[in-house]
Each structure stands twice: as C-alpha cells, then as structure tokens.
Amino acid sequence: MAAPKSKQMTEENGDPETATDAESDDGYTPECGIGQFKPAALRMCATMPMFTGFYSISALLTSTLSSFVSSQVTTLEKHFGFSSSQTGFIMAANDVGFLAMILFVSFLASRVHIPRSLGLFTIMFGVSGIFCALPYFLFGAPSPASLTEAGNVSMTSAQPAGSFLGQLCDGVNDTSLNCDALKEDSSGGSQPEDGRSAARGHAGTALALIAVGMVLQGVAKTPRMPFSTFYVDNNLPQVKTGFYMGIIIAVAIMGPVLAFALGGLFSRIYVTLEETTLHYRHPRWIGAWWLGYVTFGCIACVVGLPLFCFPRRIKGGRRGTEPVRPHGEPPSVPGKMSQLVKEFLSALVRLWTNPVYMCVMMSSCTILFAVGGTFSFTPKYMENQFAFPAWRANMAMAGVTLGSACLGSFLGGYVSRRMKMGPAASLKAISAVSAVSVLASCLLLVFSCPQPHVHNSPRSRASQGTSLQDSLDSCACDDGDYFPVCGDDGKTFFSPCHAGCQGTARENYVNCTFTAGGTAIAGMCDYSCNMFYPFVIFFCIQNLFGTLAIIPKLIVYIRSVEERDKAMGLGFNAFMTSISGGILGPVIFGKLIDGICIQWEQRSCTGGGACQLYDNDSFRLKLLGYQLIFRALSFVFAILAFISAKVTKKFDKKDGDGEPLKGVAKKAAEVAEKGNHSLERGNTAETRN
C-alpha cells in the first residue's frame, strides 16, 4: 500500500518534475538516450526543467530563422529589385507550409514521440534556412570594385545609368538605358550595370527559391506550439503549464531580437564580404543578407539533436501522451483512415460550436493580422520615417522586441503561475491588456518626421525647388535613374546629374552647378527629428501589453475545450492565426505600402523594380492606422469572449483552474479530502498488521 501513498504525496506536492523517485505512478521508468544507448546516468535529465531548457534553445533558433527575413526586407529589395508586395509574399510563404500541415500535425500530437518529432523538425528548419541563401550563391551580387579602383582619380560621366557612382552631368553621353545594347554586351561577356544585371535578371527565380525555403520553414514550425504545449501540459500539474510555457515562449520571442540584432550586424557587412569605401547610406549599399540564413541554419541543425534523447513521457506526469478517447472506443489504427477522418471532423465541429474558444481565437486573428503586417515592415518604416540606415533600424527593432515582447510573454507566464490564474481570470486579463494596447496604438500616430524633399526631381511628389532648365537639359540626365545625393548646402538632389555634378574626387561629387559649394556626396541628406524616442516608448508599451495576453490566451484555449481536443484546439488556433497574421497581414500591408511609393526604381529592361522613395505621411497613416483598427477589433472580441463565458457559466463549476472553491463545493472538497486521508491511514495500518 506504499505505492498509493507515494502517488498521493506526489500529486499533493504538485512538483513531479523534482521528485526523487525514478519511477512514475504506473511503474514507467523514463530513459534518456537514442536507440540502445540509454545509460542510467542520463535518467536525471528526464525532467521538465531540462526539457524546457533544451527545447527553449531550439525554439529560439527556429523563431530567429522565421523572423530574419523581416530584418532584410530593404536589402532583398535592393539586391533583386523586389517590390514590397513581393517581399510580403516571401514572408507569407512561411505560413503557406505551416497551414498545409498544422491541423494534421496537431491531430497527431497524442500519437507520436513528441521530443523526437521536435528534434526532427528543428533540423528541417536549419536545412530550409540554408536553402534560402541559395540565390546569392547561384546569381552573385554586384561588386563595388569599380568604385574602389577609381580611388582618387577624378572622373567624368562615362558611367552608365544605375552604376555605383550614378549618372554625371554630360551633354554628350546619354546615360539612359539601352536594353538592346545591354543584351549585346551581356552576350559578349561583359557585365552591364556594374554586375547588378545577373541578380536582377534572375529575380523571378530568386523569389521562387527563397519562397520555397520559407515554405519548408513553415512546415518545420508546425509542431512547435501544439507539440510543446501538449507535452508540457500532460507531464505537469495544470497550474504549472503556464509557467513553463511562458519560459519557452519568452525564449522563443527572443528569436526576433536575435534576428534583428544580428540582421543589423550583417547589414553593416557588404553582400560580397569585400572591403569597400561605400557607406551605409549609399544608394547602392547591399548588406550580407545571406550570411544570417547560413549561420542560423547550421546552428539549428546542431541544436535539434539533443531533443532526440528525451523520453516519450516525463517521470511523475499526470498523464502520458497517449490519446484521450471516449469510453469504450478502441484505439485508432493507422490503417483505419475513415476513423481518423471522423475523429478529425468531430473535433472541428466541437471547436466551431464553442463560443468562448471562437471569440478568443478571433481576438488573436485580428491582432495578429495587425502585428503580421506592421512587424514585417516596421524596419522599413523606421528607415523612411526617421532617416535610419538598415542596420540601425534592425538594432532598434531588436531593442524594442527585447524590451517589450520578451518581457511581456515572460511576465504573462509568471503572473499566471503566481496568481494561479484560471480561464475566468485569464479572460479578464486579456480584455484589460488589450485595452491598454489600443490606447498606445492611438498615440503612435502622433510621432513622425517631415517628408524629405528632393530637388530637381522630374516627377516625384516630394520634389522641391526649380532649376535653370536650360542648364539641366544640357546635362542629358536620365529622369528615370534615381540616385539621391546630398549637396554641401543640405539639399537632396535627384541624382548627381540633376545636381549638375561633372566629376568625382575620392568619395565626393565635384563641380556641381546647383549646390552652394559645388560638391555633394551619395545618399539623401539627414532629415531625422527628435520623434524617434517617443515613438519607441509607446511602441514598446503597445507590444508589452499585447504579449502579456499570450499566456492567458493559451490557458483559455486548453481549458475551454474538452481534454481530447486540447492539441487540436491549439492547432486550429495556429491555423487560423497563420492565415490572418502570417499570410494576409504581410501581403495586404505590402500592397498598401507599394501604393504610397512616389519614386520607383528604373528597370525597364527586366520589369518593375524596388521603391526608392515613399510618401512618409501616407506610410504612417496606413501602416499604423490599419494596425489601430484591427487592435480595436481584437479588444471587441476579447470582451465578447468574457461575456460568453459569463452567460454560459462555462468556468463556474471548474475546480482545477486555479480559482478557490466557494461555499458548499469547498466544504465538500474538504470533507472528501479528510475521508481520503483517514482511509489511507487505515489501509496503511492494516498492511503493517
């Protein structure tokens, strides 16, 4: 009779992951290792803290790979000439693979070896990251060697349109693109447009390769949330699920921090890894975007291996990872596909007819639509709104994510455990933090910098100033080749040619007719203002309170459905939120951003290119305004979920959700507990006699 007593003590202490007994209550002994290699010394690793630690590292790397593309939007557009809608499609491709597998994978959560599955998919993540870097190795990148070779030599306008030096003022040589001539030069073995045509000419193939790699990433991330949540919840007391999942999610959210921080570092390295005199504001600067994919991909392949050593079950768990089935129903056999399909459809119907679950899910869908769109293009927004180079925008995003999203998710898990938060309390918390997030989003619309003006621009809505037209016509400038330069008088000109510059010396343009001192440098003049730091403060507040709701929502998802539908509920939620936030968000916001472009890159030989100048006021109103609308809708759905729970009294009779029992129920529980103790003492005494 000692075994039942041990079991009861384990359950009452609520701390099975630290139990010293190597065997669980059903005699199962967990073993760590692979195949026949399962030494007894590794049994001490079969604990939830150990699994949480190893899997958190895996989640960090996979989350980093998923987010890295957002830090390289501008760089990819410059390298291959992608538009924002095309980069939005690349980001959406991640969730195409995710959607194709998530429901099926979630349905199988109770039927597979979860740690080994997580390890396998982590390695797949690494391979997909390396695949995304293939376009660089296949098509190369423009080399700045022609500019560094120029050195101190003063040159005239013998530079073609689109070169690293831009077009210069020359009344004899027409710098406009001649596509027929470019084709002939290319067939003759020369490299037109300073090496850019190779990448630009294969932009479609590059887009397809990166998209395929992102689809593979989407497939690889499908088990991340449903498998880990199901494994943790089935091997711990319910009140501890939120704490351990909070740790995993907090570390996973560090992935975007790592992605933006190292993305900023890689953006300061030229794409070919060559030494160059180009500066980060130079119109032809391209960061080493591919280096991040190779680095994170290789590391992910390594960190996935330790997960293969964890057992199917952790010792002392409440339940195993066996499927929960209705009474009398025989176990499903892989060959009985009809039975699996019937169970699958029945689970979907139960979820659709659950009002609390559906309202919380719609709250997540609407807010993730806003987050998916804004998160994808916020670095680009910072670059244009606050005159930041790409590396600085990525570093700013890393700081914002670290100071808000990571802290919010960890605090959400800590508070849920500290307060023993159940589903009813979680719904209140979701509504409260959503309201604060909406208020912070309103204030973000206030902070902006003035629109940069471009002098002597032929057609830009941001144009300013008039020139001596006769003098400008004598330069034979190509009005389609935008290459901004900053004059010594602080004015930005459309190109060196439109500034009247006739040569270069070192890194400067000289003999410029329309600048006060006759010199200019490549890149736009600084138009930054002091609004960035207030913007960052309220952006952090918005993200902090948005992520505080992650763990409370997770608690509602797994407590508002039947025990057998937990993994399916998590998977269905991930499916729907991926459609809204992972696919629709980046694609629709990318289209909106393309619509506010006021200066497109000239690429008449190979099609449309990247946007080079935006209307910043429209950028602010559309990016942040639409975000505000959908965050407000998320708040409305959170209120509806709370009302539904009250009307249906869904959580009133639950005693395992962390809320104290009241009245007669509490008294009955105390009497039953005393009876169990008396009975156990009697059984123990009888055994001794």
Side-chain angles (χ1 to χ4, degrees):
M1 298 300 295
K5 184 173 183 178
S6 175
K7 174 182 177 181
Q8 185 184 25
M9 291 178 63
T10 302
E11 292 178 348
E12 289 176 356
N13 292 336
D15 203 21
E17 71 275 19
T18 59
T20 57
D21 185 6
E23 296 186 0
S24 65
D25 52 10
D26 58 358
Y28 168 71
T29 302
E31 294 180 321
C32 289
I34 301 177
Q36 298 300 319
F37 179 74
K38 295 180 180 179
L42 288 181
R43 291 180 183 175
M44 61 181 295
C45 297
T47 64
M48 188 53 63
M50 291 293 291
F51 172 80
T52 301
F54 277 99
Y55 181 66
S56 293
I57 299 174
S58 172
L60 172 66
L61 265 297
T62 55
S63 178
T64 300
L65 271 170
S66 295
S67 305
F68 185 72
V69 67
S70 297
S71 71
Q72 303 300 314
V73 168
T74 303
T75 302
L76 287 171
E77 291 177 0
K78 284 186 175 182
H79 191 174
F80 298 105
F82 296 150
S83 64
S84 293
S85 58
Q86 288 176 313
T87 51
F89 168 75
I90 289 175
M91 288 181 275
N94 185 299
D95 284 86
V96 170
F98 182 81
L99 291 172
M101 298 293 294
I102 182 60
L103 291 181
F104 178 71
V105 169
S106 300
F107 183 66
L108 295 179
S110 60
R111 296 165 170 79
V112 298
H113 193 298
I114 288 180
R116 292 179 183 175
S117 300
L118 291 172
L120 178 63
F121 280 103
T122 300
I123 294 174
M124 183 179 177
F125 233 115
V127 173
S128 67
I130 298 172
F131 192 88
C132 287
L134 283 181
Y136 168 76
F137 296 102
L138 293 177
F139 310 126
S143 172
S146 59
L147 182 60
T148 53
E149 289 171 0
N152 300 332
V153 180
S154 177
M155 300 187 301
T156 59
S157 62
Q159 301 299 319
S163 71
F164 278 92
L165 292 173
Q167 53 177 325
L168 299 177
C169 179
D170 191 338
V172 178
N173 296 319
D174 187 0
T175 61
S176 59
L177 284 173
N178 186 326
C179 295
D180 294 334
L182 288 176
K183 291 178 181 178
E184 293 176 2
D185 291 342
S186 180
S187 61
S190 63
Q191 197 174 30
E193 288 195 279
D194 290 81
R196 291 202 300 161
S197 63
R200 297 299 181 88
H202 296 87
T205 306
L207 180 69
L209 288 174
I210 298 174
V212 169
M214 295 299 288
V215 169
L216 292 176
Q217 284 187 30
V219 173
K221 78 175 183 180
T222 49
R224 192 165 61 187
M225 181 57 71
F227 276 25
S228 60
T229 305
F230 190 81
Y231 189 73
V232 170
D233 192 59
N234 278 288
N235 287 281
L236 284 175
Q238 292 183 355
V239 293
K240 290 194 174 184
T241 298
F243 176 72
Y244 281 96
M245 286 307 302
I247 294 175
I248 292 175
I249 293 175
V251 175
I253 292 181
M254 287 287 290
V257 176
L258 190 61
F260 283 113
L262 293 183
L265 176 63
F266 297 144
S267 296
R268 302 185 69 175
I269 303 172
Y270 191 72
V271 63
T272 60
L273 306 185
E274 297 176 70
E275 292 289 338
T276 176
T277 58
L278 295 181
H279 55 86
Y280 310 125
R281 292 184 180 274
H282 194 284
R284 298 291 184 258
W285 177 269
I286 302 175
W289 61 270
W290 58 272
L291 196 55
Y293 280 117
V294 173
T295 302
F296 297 135
C298 292
I299 297 175
C301 290
V302 175
V303 300
L305 296 177
L307 294 174
F308 285 88
C309 298
F310 281 92
R312 179 185 290 267
R313 289 173 54 190
I314 297 294
K315 56 186 177 182
R318 294 185 293 110
R319 295 171 299 276
T321 54
E322 295 81 0
V324 180
R325 302 183 181 89
H327 295 292
E329 182 181 327
S332 296
V333 180
K336 296 182 178 180
M337 292 303 298
S338 60
Q339 182 66 22
L340 288 175
V341 171
K342 182 179 178 180
E343 292 179 9
F344 177 80
L345 295 177
S346 298
L348 280 181
V349 171
R350 288 192 295 271
L351 294 177
W352 274 104
T353 55
N354 187 329
V356 175
Y357 173 87
M358 290 300 297
C359 286
V360 175
M361 188 189 70
M362 290 303 299
S363 176
S364 296
C365 287
T366 49
I367 196 171
L368 286 178
F369 175 81
V371 171
T374 54
F375 185 82
S376 302
F377 296 103
T378 296
K380 177 192 280 285
Y381 177 79
M382 289 181 177
E383 290 177 45
N384 289 273
Q385 187 68 239
F386 303 107
F388 279 8
W391 71 267
R392 190 177 177 188
N394 285 329
M395 289 298 185
M397 281 296 294
V400 167
T401 307
L402 177 63
S404 58
C406 298
L407 179 62
S409 60
F410 178 78
L411 285 178
Y414 176 78
V415 171
S416 69
R417 181 187 180 183
R418 185 74 176 177
M419 300 180 63
K420 296 184 177 180
M421 190 179 292
S426 297
L427 287 174
K428 297 177 184 178
I430 293 168
S431 302
V433 299
S434 296
V436 178
S437 179
V438 170
L439 291 176
S441 299
C442 291
L443 294 174
L444 282 179
L445 289 167
V446 177
F447 309 111
S448 64
C449 288
Q451 174 70 35
H453 297 293
V454 181
H455 292 259
N456 291 354
S457 176
R459 58 181 178 274
S460 171
R461 297 202 302 269
S463 62
Q464 180 174 325
T466 57
S467 63
L468 298 174
Q469 192 62 41
D470 293 339
S471 300
L472 192 57
D473 289 343
S474 65
C475 290
C477 299
D478 179 8
D479 290 343
D481 186 21
Y482 178 69
F483 189 105
V485 295
C486 180
D488 50 30
D489 52 1
K491 296 179 180 179
T492 300
F493 291 86
F494 188 82
S495 73
C497 184
H498 289 79
C501 302
Q502 301 177 21
T504 61
R506 296 182 181 273
E507 299 178 16
N508 296 330
Y509 296 91
V510 296
N511 300 327
C512 302
T513 305
F514 300 109
T515 64
T519 62
I521 59 173
M524 297 192 70
C525 297
D526 185 18
Y527 58 89
S528 60
C529 63
N530 58 0
M531 288 293 184
F532 172 70
Y533 292 105
F535 172 84
V536 166
I537 291 173
F538 284 96
F539 193 62
C540 284
I541 293 174
Q542 170 195 272
N543 289 344
L544 174 65
F545 281 89
T547 52
L548 274 173
I550 292 178
I551 299 302
K553 284 183 178 179
L554 185 63
I555 292 173
V556 175
Y557 288 139
I558 61 179
R559 301 290 177 251
S560 63
V561 299
E562 297 181 23
E563 185 72 24
R564 54 181 171 170
D565 294 332
K566 279 195 307 184
M568 188 63 182
L570 292 169
F572 185 63
N573 171 69
F575 179 85
M576 296 300 295
T577 53
S578 294
I579 290 178
S580 61
I583 294 181
L584 297 180
V587 171
I588 293 177
F589 274 78
K591 282 288 186 182
L592 289 173
I593 293 171
D594 281 341
I596 59 177
C597 181
I598 56 180
Q599 180 61 56
W600 287 95
E601 177 185 20
Q602 181 193 28
R603 205 152 62 90
S604 57
C605 298
T606 55
C611 180
Q612 297 179 312
L613 185 64
Y614 290 95
D615 183 337
N616 284 346
D617 286 335
S618 296
F619 204 158
R620 173 174 55 87
L621 293 174
K622 289 192 175 181
L623 186 72
L624 302 180
Y626 281 102
Q627 174 196 230
L628 172 60
I629 292 172
F630 284 94
R631 282 185 180 272
L633 283 176
S634 175
F635 172 68
V636 171
F637 280 114
I639 294 296
L640 290 177
F642 179 76
I643 294 174
S644 298
K646 283 292 185 182
V647 171
T648 59
K649 299 181 179 180
K650 188 174 185 64
F651 304 123
D652 289 355
K653 295 182 180 180
K654 292 216 172 187
D655 58 0
D657 61 355
E659 295 182 345
L661 293 174
K662 299 179 181 179
V664 178
K666 182 176 181 180
K667 203 69 175 177
E670 292 175 353
V671 172
E673 186 176 357
K674 291 179 180 178
N676 289 336
H677 283 303
S678 300
L679 180 60
E680 185 176 359
R681 285 195 297 268
N683 290 336
T684 304
E686 182 179 349
T687 302
R688 289 176 180 174
N689 292 333

